[in-house]
Structure formats: C-alpha cells, structure tokens
Amino acid sequence: APASMKMDWDNVGLLCGSRSQQVHKIMVALDPFESVCKEAAQEGADLIVTHHPLIFRAPNALTDDTALGRSVLFLAQHGISSINAHTNLDCAPGGVNDVLAQALGLKNIQVINPTGITEDGQEWGLLRMGTVDAQNLQAFLCRVKTALGCQGLRYTDGGKQVYKVAVGGGACAGEMGMAIKAGCDTFVTADVRYNQFWDARESGINLIDAGHFHTENPICSVLAQKLQAQFPEITVTVSKNHQDCANFFM
C-alpha cells in the first residue's frame, strides 16, 4: 500500500515517532485511540500500525485536554511510534476492500473503475465487485452479519436478487454510482446517509450499511500476518481491546 495510492486529502505514514527507532514489537489495530495506545504500552510494543490516522486534520494544539492530545503525548512519553495506511490500504491489491470481498465470500473479485496498475500488473482502485450464488436479500443479509460479526445492519431493498455485489469498506456510500454503473445489484458499505438509502431504492440497488468498524476491521489480522511474514524477527500482535463503540438498542 504505497503512499502514492492514497487520496489527495489523506494523511498516511509515520505520524508520530522517530524513523531511527528500533522496533521489536508491533501492535496492529484499526484505530490509534487512547485505549490502543495504552494497550501497546502494556504489551511492550514499540510501534502501532493502524488503518486510520492518528492525526487526520492538523490540530491547533496537542494537550491533555483532548483525546488526540493525550494519545500523542502518551505515545511520545512511552517511546511508541505510530504508522498508518488509510486510503492507500483501501485501494491496494490485497487491502481493505479485497479482504472485505473475500470475507463475504465473493468470487471473481475485480476492481471497479481501476485507478492504476502496479509494477507487477495488478489493478488497484477503491471499490471491488464479485459474485455470489444467486440468493434473496434476506439470505445475503444473514451472510454479511455473520461474516463481519455485526450487531445489526441498516439496509434498503432495491427489489433485486443478490448476485453481483460491490463492496467499499468504511465511508464509501458516496461511490454508489460506480457500483450501479458496473451493473451491481447490491452494495455493501458503511456510513450511509438517509437520502442515500432513498437514492438506492429508486435506482434499484440493494444498499447495506454494515458499519464502518466492521467493514474495515477484517484487514487488521491480514495486515498483522503480512508484517509478521515480512519481519519474522519482530513480534506482531493485534489489539485485543479495540472494538466498535456503536451499539444497537433492541
């Protein structure tokens, strides 16, 4: 997931720490929140590698008055660095959206509207699409909920059987037009707004909001495996405490 694959507005790479620091233990998590920073210190990690950036928009100050300030100060005090791969990991071959497609059991996975091609000939871009055995929407909703471990799903029924599915982990609902243009009958994403559900229904596409955390979290274990394989002398773990803070009241 080279930085060249990131969106122009994104902030990726080493956002806290020194490039000369020796690394012996890495903790992987979706977010570099306070709880993850403290867990990394307890586990003796020198580095946290996350999907979401520690610093997204430049703050005016870093103090213990804010969660961001406390996190940065804590990492600095404990000699822990923070690296992230955000939209570059969304777009990369084998990244967030390939892993999401695989988690949902999609076959014949392809990049929708590729942005470019890697040196070894792989297409890369934001959304993925693939196929499943034709099934009704209720059956596919059960598959999504089980595969991603969601407490619940928000969705609208576009009136079609599920066969050709597009996926975009996290806040990709605004890319629904790409999924429709690609001929998909179903789109799994997150952070869907009220009007987007209506737009989906009127456009005849099933739209499923499986939650930002749950559509992106599957990448963490894959990222840890890749890091461990690349650096066998370093201990790599996945955060055990980081979970979605959104709950469903039923």
Side-chain angles (χ1 to χ4, degrees), residues 1 51 86 88-102 125-126 128 215-216 218-219 222-223 226:
H51 177 45
H86 192 207
N88 47 328
L89 191 59
D90 290 328
C91 294
V96 170
N97 289 321
D98 273 321
V99 171
L100 175 58
Q102 292 161 6
L126 185 58
R128 301 293 186 272
T215 54
E216 294 186 332
I219 193 61
V222 173
L223 187 55
K226 289 182 179 292

Side-chain angles (χ1 to χ4, degrees), residues 180-201:
I180 294 172
K181 189 174 181 180
C184 297
D185 50 65
T186 305
F187 184 28
V188 181
T189 185
D191 299 349
V192 179
R193 298 196 306 272
Y194 174 78
N195 286 338
Q196 289 171 327
F197 278 120
W198 281 103
D199 291 343
R201 184 175 178 181

Side-chain angles (χ1 to χ4, degrees), residues 190-232:
D191 299 349
V192 179
R193 298 196 306 272
Y194 174 78
N195 286 338
Q196 289 171 327
F197 278 120
W198 281 103
D199 291 343
R201 184 175 178 181
E202 291 169 359
S203 298
I205 187 170
N206 306 313
L207 180 59
I208 301 171
D209 186 331
H212 201 120
F213 179 90
H214 291 287
T215 54
E216 294 186 332
N217 194 53
I219 193 61
C220 290
S221 59
V222 173
L223 187 55
Q225 291 167 9
K226 289 182 179 292
L227 287 168
Q228 190 67 82
Q230 183 70 26
F231 304 102

Side-chain angles (χ1 to χ4, degrees), residues 99-109 130-133 140 143 147:
V99 171
L100 175 58
Q102 292 161 6
L104 297 181
L106 303 192
K107 303 173 183 176
N108 308 311
I109 298 169
T131 59
V132 295
D133 293 337
F140 187 69
R143 174 189 289 210

Side-chain angles (χ1 to χ4, degrees), residues 2 5 10 18 23 76 82-83 95 102-103 115 126 128 143 162 167 172 190 200 212 222:
M5 290 183 180
D10 204 4
S18 169
V23 176
S82 176
I83 293 176
Q102 292 161 6
T115 303
L126 185 58
R128 301 293 186 272
R143 174 189 289 210
V162 179
V167 300
C172 286
H212 201 120
V222 173

Side-chain angles (χ1 to χ4, degrees), residues 65-138:
D65 294 327
T66 66
L68 171 59
R70 289 191 296 272
S71 296
V72 173
L73 292 172
F74 183 90
L75 292 176
Q77 290 166 357
H78 289 80
I80 302 172
S81 297
S82 176
I83 293 176
N84 83 289
H86 192 207
T87 52
N88 47 328
L89 191 59
D90 290 328
C91 294
V96 170
N97 289 321
D98 273 321
V99 171
L100 175 58
Q102 292 161 6
L104 297 181
L106 303 192
K107 303 173 183 176
N108 308 311
I109 298 169
Q110 304 173 52
V111 180
I112 299 178
N113 191 21
T115 303
I117 300 176
T118 64
E119 291 182 358
D120 59 356
Q122 296 184 79
E123 292 182 333
W124 63 272
L126 185 58
L127 300 185
R128 301 293 186 272
M129 65 180 177
T131 59
V132 295
D133 293 337
Q135 57 196 273
N136 63 45
L137 180 57
Q138 291 299 315

Side-chain angles (χ1 to χ4, degrees), residues 41-61:
Q42 292 170 357
E43 294 293 322
D46 313 285
L47 171 67
I48 56 174
V49 176
T50 63
H51 177 45
H52 293 136
L54 175 66
I55 302 170
F56 187 56
R57 296 181 180 87
N60 294 321

